[in-house]
Amino acid sequence: MEAEELGNGDDLEASLISGCSYFEDDRAAHVRRCLSNTTSQLAIIGSNLCPIESLDYELIENDFLKKQDWRSRSAARIMQYVILKWSLCFLVGALSGALGFFINLAVENIAGIKFVVTSNMMLANKYGWAFGVFAVSNFVLLMFASAITTFVSPAAAGSGIPEVMSYLNGVDAPNIFSMKTLFVKVVGSIAAVSSSLHIGKAGPMIHSTACISSILGQGGSRKYKLTSRWLRYFKNDRDRRDLITCGAGAGIAAAFRAPLGGVLFSLECVSSWWRSALLWRSFFTTAVVLVVLRALIDVCRSGKCGLFGQGGLIMFDVTSADVTYHLVDLPPAIILGVIGGILGSLHNLLLEKVLRVYNLINERGHFYKLLLAALVSIFTSCCIFGLPWLASCKPCPTTGLSEPCPSIGRSGNFKKFQCAFDHYNDLASLFFNTNDDAIRNLYSAGTDRVFQKSSVVLFFVATYILGIISYGIAVPAGLFVPVILTGATYGRLVGMLTGSHSTLNHGLFAVLGSASLLGGSMRMTVSTCIILLELTNNLLLLPLVMLVLLISKTVADAFNSNIYDLIVKLKGLPYLKSHAEPYMRQLTVGDVVGGPLQMFNGVEKVSNIVHVLKTTGHNGFPVIDEPPFSDSSVLFGLILRSHLLVLLKKKQFLYTRRLASLDASKQFSYDDFAKRGSGKHETIEGIELTAEEMDMYIDLHPFANTSPYTVVETMSLAKALILFREVGLRHLLVIPKSTSRAPVVGILTRHDFTPEHILQVHPFLLRSRWTKLQLGKENLFQIFKGFI
């Protein structure tokens, strides 16, 4: 089978759910997409593989499209296309802003009501009832989220960022951008985050806005009578890729009210292909998000949105307005970066181990997925409600208060919990809040004496562990907010230990701690820096945040990869990195290309085409011209499976083996070859042909891509990988060094560049395979020995 069809089609991030996403009745129609592939990387121990196809980002050039493509039409048509692109970007931004507001509104009210009811029972000294209401509320919310994820759309589990990354890299995984996935992502994330689980809504927000972009970019819908000619311009993977890139940036802008951070996040983290025009459209989209969010939040200032606005308002505008720092503050910042890099890499290592264990549980069936979610919910509720009892009560400060003490019926730093009326429980102020409000409390300026060291240490250990075990169950869940929260706790702890050795307040240390852990876990630098600065509304922190991020990323890179790369690998998604492994330079493309190669003549018999399509899973076929159509055997071009299916369905056949005399543009339209929406694929089984039609011929010349990318078989595999990824190819033809051989010796697809395939074909490379630097004694000795 062609190597591009590999990986796992379902989401393995939460539950790491395995298996094909088609029901038994649809198995025959989708047999090509659900054949196993033994040479693909496994999506985790014991998982069942569902093949994944690549996307057609390459611009096809042939005789037919030269006359039908909009690029060869009038200036008015081109203007329509440009207007459509900007209009869709505006819609993505507006809908993303509204969705971000709705999710925050729902979480604040659902979680707020739960905390208020529980606090009222505790005020009445009904502690047993309070715990019961709290635990049952969390359990019901999480089980609802887990149930709809498990039974309605498994692809909605997890954060969704690995799926968006892979799609923009050229991987077409089934159902990741469907309407069902969008619904479950939104509703499930609201319920899961409201259940006090230590997960975030930023990742699901990015996936949701990418779903919105994909749905808007489907090119219209016959089902809903949206068949305008304008909408048809987007029926190709290239334009959909651009729109989904803008959607990913809009998700960050909606989650953190950080428009510049959203643009840079798309550029640095999720996008594999970038250009200046895309930068402008992404910037416009995130700007629309910000305007919509601001307008909707202003509406809530009048008190019409329930509890929304009394706690987290997306932006944590709480740090010092006048930040001053000196040379004495650099050592603590460096220590924050080093320890953050170590903690971040450890976080990634532990999370990878937990996901592997969770998969062994979840692959046993739906009941075990729900059982795992239930156990995590109960454990989390016991920790959140039980651990604050270990903290001692503190008397309320008498001066310098910017909020009431104790905080009753609202978020704040002075939760009463079990204390007397004029006292507060500082650990409850962190645990008994939404994650957003807990971050707000840790970032607060002028609160150096509010929290005890023992409480911060206990909260750090708990959030570090809860953030790891909460990620991987079958619910929509993000990593951004838990990592920010844990980093803020660790940063404030460092600030407490530093004491008088630094001029920074503990709130600023919390911001730097978040930066260090984000750099250590996610390894993003520029986008994380800007997101944190927009999140805290404090540009004066820029130098220190930059320093901490650079150090933490450098330290963490010495141990393992960033968390999203690890999850992509666990999922079995064939993601191509931007660099080639050194061992690839020892191989040529001819060393990895496989066979047998299926080719078609320029004028091919219908029965031969049908036989090849039914017996192979290839999506691209070289078209060869032989005498009498050419002087010798030469490569004419490449034709896609989808285009062959259109030709068979239209049945514009020839009775004899000759060139077609009629103009193809009169028999076919551009819409016939436009790519259908995500997850919608034509199959050869759905086309019925008579015996007479099977003996006829098709002239493939007008429809074959006459300018496919080709490489000589002696090119290094590393060089071919860079070409394949940078151009966004699906097929790369390999031609022989000698003219005495066949015009094509093979086709390179995404699978041929995966380490699993290369090391299986050439196992001797395992002994010389380059690995990341490990900070052991022997390695350190060798490093410093080289400088002597």
Side-chain angles (χ1 to χ4, degrees):
M1 172 176 289
E2 182 171 277
E4 66 194 359
E5 301 169 305
L6 57 126
N8 194 312
D10 291 329
D11 191 297
L12 299 172
E13 186 169 347
S15 81
L16 292 151
I17 303 163
S18 60
C20 293
S21 58
Y22 303 108
F23 294 103
E24 196 71 31
D25 295 340
D26 300 324
R27 192 174 298 275
H30 297 283
V31 63
R32 183 175 60 84
R33 284 181 67 85
C34 289
L35 293 174
S36 63
N37 190 325
T38 57
T39 62
S40 304
Q41 61 190 68
L42 291 178
I44 262 226
I45 300 172
S47 63
N48 299 320
L49 295 178
C50 184
I52 291 174
E53 295 183 1
S54 295
L55 295 163
D56 298 302
Y57 289 154
E58 182 184 356
L59 187 63
I60 295 176
E61 296 179 346
N62 56 35
D63 294 338
F64 173 73
L65 291 180
K66 286 178 182 178
K67 299 177 182 179
Q68 293 285 330
D69 190 12
W70 66 267
R71 296 171 183 83
S72 61
R73 296 188 180 183
S74 64
R77 291 290 179 85
I78 296 178
M79 183 58 66
Q80 288 178 355
Y81 169 79
V82 173
I83 292 174
L84 176 63
K85 268 204 166 185
W86 286 99
S87 299
L88 289 179
C89 287
F90 174 82
L91 286 175
V92 168
L95 293 175
S96 299
L99 181 64
F101 173 79
F102 171 74
I103 291 177
N104 278 278
L105 176 70
V107 170
E108 287 290 324
N109 279 283
I110 294 173
I113 291 173
K114 175 187 66 180
F115 285 125
V116 167
V117 172
T118 305
S119 298
N120 289 339
M121 289 185 173
M122 296 191 72
L123 286 173
N125 295 325
K126 298 179 180 179
Y127 299 119
W129 280 101
F131 173 72
V133 169
F134 181 72
V136 170
S137 300
N138 291 339
F139 183 84
V140 171
L141 287 169
L142 189 60
M143 293 310 295
F144 170 72
S146 182
I148 62 174
T149 303
T150 301
F151 294 106
V152 178
S153 179
S159 73
I161 293 179
E163 283 78 9
V164 177
M165 288 173 55
S166 299
Y167 182 91
L168 297 178
N169 190 254
V171 179
D172 185 17
N175 299 325
I176 60 172
F177 294 139
S178 65
M179 281 292 293
K180 289 194 303 181
T181 300
L182 174 61
F183 171 78
V184 173
K185 205 75 180 184
V186 173
V187 177
S189 65
I190 291 173
V193 174
S194 300
S195 70
S196 294
L197 209 64
H198 273 255
I199 56 177
K201 52 184 179 290
M205 186 84 74
I206 294 167
H207 193 182
S208 299
T209 52
C211 287
I212 293 174
S213 303
S214 178
I215 293 169
L216 290 176
Q218 292 299 306
S221 171
R222 294 181 180 178
K223 180 179 179 181
Y224 298 106
K225 309 299 182 183
L226 299 175
T227 56
S228 170
R229 183 183 299 274
W230 283 37
L231 295 175
R232 300 175 191 175
Y233 292 148
F234 261 53
K235 286 194 173 182
N236 62 85
D237 290 332
R238 291 171 62 87
D239 288 325
R240 289 171 187 161
R241 171 184 61 183
D242 289 355
L243 196 60
I244 290 173
T245 302
C246 295
I252 284 289
F256 297 120
R257 211 159 74 191
L260 296 180
V263 175
L264 294 174
F265 174 82
S266 296
L267 171 61
E268 183 179 9
C269 182
V270 298
S271 179
S272 297
W273 188 82
W274 196 263
R275 55 198 176 94
S276 58
L278 190 56
L279 178 67
W280 280 106
R281 275 193 286 272
S282 297
F283 183 72
F284 171 73
T285 305
T286 56
V288 173
V289 172
L290 188 63
V291 171
V292 172
L293 274 178
R294 171 58 66 183
L296 293 174
I297 290 175
D298 285 344
V299 173
C300 288
R301 296 190 186 279
S302 59
K304 298 178 180 179
C305 300
L307 297 175
F308 181 73
Q310 298 184 25
L313 267 174
I314 306 174
M315 179 179 286
F316 307 111
D317 189 6
V318 290
T319 54
S320 297
D322 184 17
V323 179
T324 58
Y325 42 85
H326 305 87
L327 192 61
V328 70
D329 299 314
L330 292 182
I334 294 173
I335 294 173
L336 274 171
V338 173
I339 300 178
I342 296 173
L343 290 175
S345 59
L346 179 62
H347 172 271
N348 294 356
L349 175 65
L350 295 177
L351 184 58
E352 183 183 11
K353 302 296 183 184
V354 168
L355 291 178
R356 290 183 179 275
V357 173
Y358 279 4
N359 180 69
L360 296 176
I361 299 172
N362 290 322
E363 68 178 356
R364 303 183 64 179
H366 295 330
F367 172 76
Y368 288 92
K369 297 169 189 173
L370 298 176
L371 177 62
L372 179 60
L375 293 176
V376 171
S377 175
I378 294 171
F379 179 75
T380 302
S381 296
C382 291
C383 288
I384 293 176
F385 194 90
L387 290 178
W389 292 84
L390 300 178
S392 59
C393 295
K394 294 185 65 177
C396 290
T398 56
T399 59
L401 286 182
S402 59
E403 56 181 298
C405 181
S407 305
I408 299 177
R410 63 186 300 277
S411 62
N413 283 312
F414 305 103
K415 289 287 185 179
K416 179 180 177 297
F417 208 65
Q418 88 287 9
C419 300
F421 189 77
D422 57 346
H423 288 65
Y424 72 97
N425 187 320
D426 61 337
L427 190 54
S429 301
L430 299 175
F431 270 121
F432 229 60
N433 268 316
T434 62
N435 290 337
D436 286 2
D437 292 338
I439 297 171
R440 195 173 198 273
N441 293 343
L442 290 168
Y443 281 3
S444 297
T447 58
D448 289 6
R449 301 183 181 277
V450 170
F451 300 101
Q452 306 174 81
K453 290 181 182 178
S454 58
S455 298
V456 174
V457 170
L458 188 58
F459 186 70
F460 167 71
V461 174
T463 54
Y464 195 86
I465 295 174
L466 289 176
I468 292 173
I469 67 172
S470 299
Y471 192 81
I473 62 176
V475 295
L479 283 169
F480 255 100
V481 172
V483 171
I484 291 175
L485 176 60
T486 305
T489 311
Y490 140 72
R492 183 170 272 264
L493 178 61
V494 171
M496 291 179 172
L497 297 176
T498 302
S500 60
H501 297 290
S502 175
T503 61
L504 300 178
N505 66 59
H506 296 173
L508 298 179
F509 268 104
V511 176
L512 296 178
S514 294
S516 69
L517 201 57
L518 283 171
S521 176
M522 300 182 181
R523 315 292 161 81
M524 297 181 298
T525 53
V526 180
S527 56
T528 298
C529 181
I530 299 304
I531 289 171
L532 283 174
L533 294 180
E534 291 182 294
L535 193 67
T536 57
N537 197 26
N538 204 321
L539 188 61
L540 296 175
L541 278 176
L542 179 60
L544 290 179
V545 173
M546 291 175 63
L547 176 65
V548 167
L549 280 169
L550 289 171
I551 294 174
S552 62
K553 182 185 185 304
T554 303
V555 171
D557 279 339
F559 296 99
N560 51 28
S561 302
N562 71 73
I563 186 60
Y564 293 125
D565 281 351
L566 292 175
I567 294 175
V568 164
K569 185 175 181 180
L570 291 177
K571 286 173 173 288
L573 296 170
Y575 184 89
L576 298 182
K577 296 184 179 180
S578 58
H579 64 275
E581 300 286 2
Y583 63 83
M584 290 184 179
R585 303 191 182 279
Q586 304 177 32
L587 301 173
T588 65
V589 295
D591 294 329
V592 298
V593 70
L597 179 64
Q598 297 289 345
M599 296 184 291
F600 290 127
N601 291 312
V603 181
E604 187 60 76
K605 197 172 185 178
V606 173
S607 59
N608 292 340
I609 297 176
V610 172
H611 173 73
V612 171
L613 293 183
K614 284 186 175 181
T615 56
T616 69
H618 303 338
N619 284 285
F621 304 90
V623 177
I624 306 299
D625 264 346
E626 295 179 338
F629 302 106
S630 64
D631 296 333
S632 61
S633 181
V634 295
L635 171 65
F636 179 82
L638 180 78
I639 192 164
L640 299 179
R641 169 184 284 265
S642 59
H643 291 183
L644 289 172
L645 292 174
V646 173
L647 297 177
L648 292 175
K649 191 173 182 180
K650 284 287 187 176
K651 299 184 179 181
Q652 298 293 330
F653 303 146
L654 303 172
Y655 287 99
T656 59
R657 191 168 181 265
R658 60 179 175 81
L659 296 176
S661 57
L662 295 177
D663 186 358
S665 61
K666 297 179 180 179
Q667 299 172 309
F668 299 89
S669 68
Y670 177 76
D671 293 336
D672 293 330
F673 295 92
K675 188 162 185 178
R676 302 176 67 183
S678 179
K680 301 175 182 178
H681 300 275
E682 198 76 58
T683 61
I684 184 63
E685 288 76 17
I687 299 176
E688 296 182 0
L689 297 170
T690 64
E692 180 183 4
E693 291 170 337
M694 294 287 278
D695 286 330
M696 299 175 74
Y697 296 86
I698 301 178
D699 183 5
L700 303 180
H701 291 96
F703 312 100
N705 181 8
T706 56
S707 58
Y709 283 87
T710 61
V711 295
V712 182
E713 60 183 337
T714 54
M715 176 183 282
S716 71
L717 188 62
K719 191 174 181 179
L721 170 62
I722 301 303
L723 172 64
F724 193 95
R725 187 185 187 275
E726 292 301 319
V727 181
L729 299 180
R730 184 175 186 176
H731 306 97
L732 184 59
L733 300 185
V734 181
I735 60 177
K737 186 77 171 178
S738 172
T739 57
S740 61
R741 299 167 57 191
V744 182
V745 298
I747 300 180
L748 289 173
T749 61
R750 179 174 297 271
H751 166 67
D752 296 304
F753 296 103
T754 58
E756 288 70 23
H757 169 71
I758 298 171
L759 297 175
Q760 183 184 37
V761 176
H762 302 284
F764 72 91
L765 292 172
L766 286 170
R767 296 189 297 271
S768 61
R769 187 182 181 189
W770 178 84
T771 56
K772 284 186 175 291
L773 171 68
Q774 302 296 320
L775 294 180
K777 293 182 179 179
E778 296 181 1
N779 286 331
L780 285 174
F781 175 76
Q782 294 294 332
I783 291 171
F784 290 108
K785 182 180 178 181
F787 290 103
I788 299 175

